[in-house]
Amino acid sequence: MSLPDWTGKPPAGSLPQGESLEAEVGIIGAGIHGAALARELSLRRVTCALVDRAAVAGGTSQWSSQLLHGGIRYLVTGDIRQMREGLEERAIWARIAARRCRWEAFWMPHHNIFEGWAHRFGIGLYDRWGSERPGFPAEFRLGAVPQVVFRADPRSQGGPFRGATAYADLITSDRDLTLDLAASSSALKLDFHEVQSWEEQGGGLRAALLKDRRDGRQRTLAARQWVFALGPWTDGALRDWFREDSRRLRLSSGIHLWFPAVPGCDRPWAIRRPGGRVLFMIPREGRLMVGTTEREVETGWVPIAASERAELFEALERYVPGVRWRSLQVLDEELGVRPLVRGSGFTASLSREAVLERHGRLGNLRLVLGGKLTTARRLMDKLAVELTGRACPRSRTEPLQAWDAA
Ligand SMILES: Cc1cc2nc3c(=O)[nH]c(=O)nc-3n(C[C@H](O)[C@H](O)[C@H](O)COP(=O)(O)OP(=O)(O)OC[C@H]3O[C@@H](n4cnc5c(N)ncnc54)[C@H](O)[C@@H]3O)c2cc1C
């Protein structure tokens, strides 16, 4: 089977591991969920193997908006429980992954004084519930943005907005965070390994036959328990491996465009759009990242559609006409596919909730469905308790190891 481009070319060389490998838990998929589970199991001294057909963090967990947040959109959709969970997790990330996190004061602009009051009320609650903010810079001002400051930002020129309210959130580097989680585990790492077939035994999975894409070597990995953390590729893998037709996920692509830094655009903006969607404009690494869109797609990675690009440009021109977007060079563009737990309605209103499913036929297999970067640690802590019967409070306090530490 030829692989789509996103998996990338495997590095040269070969791994030292032998042909017959064993672990207590076999994790297939090394995105934020697989990597976070590997850390949870290692903290509990349970052996595990982390298998991916691409690099660690080679999938969705490198194409997100990179926010560790309560989800300001939930103020509109009313999912307060998810919001509070996210805010709690945000504080934990700020402690355990301080070097990968940066606090920011986001501006949410409003059209008129009434909307301004509504924002101030909602954002007031958001910042109160999220008042645990370790390392929050004292110079950041939250709440009403003074008019003179708002007017100095070129994004306020000629547009529909009359003012803004500032709220706190945490920005990360999704790929580095995932790599740090994997580096904080003692998992046997089998990146660029393709699953060729499965061996079943006694109503469960016994072993996976793997092919190392570096050199074509075959390895057998046996494990007592298995977890598939395959993000948006879950349904496709279950179909290919076990001929299962049921669809557990709905997939929604989102794109980001990266522009050169625009002078005067110093703070990130979060513009509320109809349907609870948010248009983010985030200055980072000397550039301006803009996103995102929602388009239903069929698989875990697809090329960017011209209509997605056009939709973002239209939104930018409508809400922020003070910047000549079309004359700016697009330095980079990326697409990620959200794995949303299947339900009815449009993707924009679908839940970002995650589900841990015990597979119906294969008794020792669990599936991680849906989820977000923000709540991955919490969800995998829960799964590790289910798998091992052991709680581990250190998961909330133990700092992550940097994958790129000297
Ligand atoms: C546009 C966009 C913006 C987002 N913004 C945010 C945000 O700001 N904050 C937030 O908290 N969340 C955000 N999310 C959600 C978050 O990025 C995802 O929910 C999360 O990254 C999913 O992680 P995962 O580990 O489940 O999946 P992935 O990261 O996709 O991991 C799955 C892994 O499985 C591997 N794989 C696939 N098929 C196979 C196979 N057959 N064999 C072996 N391995 C395989 C892939 O290579 C991949 O590495 C966003 C998502 C998108 C798309």
Side-chain angles (χ1 to χ4, degrees):
M1 185 178 75
S2 69
L3 293 169
D5 294 332
W6 62 268
T7 56
K9 199 166 162 318
S14 53
L15 292 186
Q17 277 82 18
E19 285 172 9
S20 186
L21 307 168
E22 254 182 67
E24 186 66 24
V25 183
I27 306 167
I28 311 289
I32 190 110
H33 287 114
L37 179 60
R39 171 179 176 265
E40 293 297 332
L41 294 170
S42 301
L43 285 171
R44 290 163 172 85
R45 302 197 185 290
V46 173
T47 59
C48 63
L50 188 57
V51 181
D52 202 293
R53 77 180 189 188
V56 174
T60 320
S61 300
Q62 62 174 337
W63 298 312
S64 79
S65 300
Q66 315 200 50
L67 304 175
L68 298 170
H69 59 162
I72 200 80
R73 72 201 296 280
Y74 299 138
L75 281 175
V76 179
T77 57
D79 198 338
I80 302 303
R81 191 189 54 74
Q82 257 202 92
M83 174 188 282
R84 297 194 73 164
E85 220 172 78
L87 290 171
E88 224 175 90
E89 284 305 298
R90 189 182 72 173
I92 293 175
W93 288 118
R95 273 197 298 270
I96 67 172
R99 64 164 82 75
R100 301 297 183 203
C101 296
R102 170 167 72 82
W103 285 105
E104 256 299 355
F106 282 71
W107 289 6
M108 177 167 280
H110 53 257
H111 293 85
N112 54 53
I113 195 165
F114 302 108
E115 197 182 36
W117 285 338
H119 284 184
R120 238 157 270 165
F121 176 72
I123 283 172
L125 285 177
Y126 187 80
D127 281 334
R128 177 181 292 222
W129 288 329
S131 62
E132 198 190 344
R133 295 191 285 265
F136 189 73
E139 69 272 20
F140 281 172
R141 293 276 158 265
L142 303 180
V145 176
Q147 270 299 311
V148 58
V149 179
F150 179 70
R151 288 288 155 217
D153 189 310
R155 288 168 291 187
S156 69
Q157 310 300 312
F161 300 119
R162 299 289 161 260
T165 310
Y167 69 93
D169 249 334
L170 200 59
I171 298 186
T172 187
S173 158
D174 48 7
R175 179 171 172 274
D176 287 323
L177 191 64
T178 304
L179 285 164
D180 284 357
L181 285 163
S184 308
S185 80
S186 50
L188 174 62
K189 292 173 193 89
L190 299 169
D191 57 354
F192 295 101
H193 275 64
E194 190 77 36
V195 177
Q196 305 247 279
S197 61
W198 289 97
E199 192 185 312
E200 296 184 22
Q201 190 180 54
L205 293 175
R206 198 194 80 80
L209 177 64
L210 305 171
K211 185 167 133 196
D212 189 339
R213 292 176 53 211
R214 290 170 181 78
D215 54 9
R217 274 180 70 178
Q218 295 210 325
R219 297 192 164 89
T220 306
L221 172 66
R224 281 199 337 115
Q225 312 210 57
W226 291 90
V227 174
F228 290 176
L230 294 163
W233 290 276
T234 306
D235 285 333
L238 290 169
R239 195 177 50 238
D240 292 350
W241 292 335
F242 309 118
R243 295 200 191 85
E244 275 184 22
D245 278 337
S246 54
R247 297 257 224 128
R248 293 165 168 87
L249 298 174
R250 277 178 79 173
L251 305 180
S252 162
S253 72
I255 68 163
H256 295 104
L257 302 180
W258 292 77
F259 294 101
V262 176
C265 298
D266 300 325
R267 293 271 78 84
W269 276 34
I271 299 174
R272 268 186 53 212
R273 299 173 71 190
R277 292 160 62 187
V278 176
L279 173 65
F280 286 109
M281 307 169 66
I282 304 177
R284 53 182 308 162
E285 295 139 31
R287 302 186 293 173
L288 187 65
M289 181 182 99
V290 170
T292 175
T293 52
E294 305 226 9
R295 172 172 69 103
E296 258 193 89
V297 294
E298 281 301 312
T299 181
W301 187 87
V302 291
I304 294 180
S307 58
E308 279 171 310
R309 236 180 257 119
E311 188 205 319
L312 259 193
F313 270 102
E314 276 160 28
L316 289 169
E317 285 176 333
R318 174 160 163 223
Y319 292 112
V320 187
V323 177
R324 296 179 54 215
W325 296 103
R326 289 189 199 263
S327 68
L328 296 179
Q329 189 190 354
V330 177
L331 300 174
D332 204 358
E333 51 184 27
E334 63 196 9
L335 172 140
V337 173
R338 300 176 190 88
L340 303 175
V341 178
R342 216 170 159 74
S344 55
F346 297 107
T347 52
S349 62
L350 276 184
S351 164
R352 259 67 167 164
E353 290 257 27
V355 171
L356 297 174
E357 183 185 315
R358 207 180 183 124
H359 192 267
R361 185 176 67 81
L362 300 162
N364 62 348
L365 171 62
R366 318 277 177 132
L367 308 174
V368 179
L369 305 172
K372 295 181 292 190
L373 296 176
T374 312
T375 45
R377 187 214 61 85
R378 184 189 192 102
L379 188 68
M380 293 303 98
D381 186 9
K382 185 173 170 211
L383 179 52
V385 172
E386 284 182 20
L387 292 170
T388 66
R390 297 213 296 276
C392 181
R394 272 174 65 211
S395 161
R396 302 162 65 92
T397 54
E398 183 78 13
L400 301 190
Q401 314 254 347
W403 70 273
D404 53 354

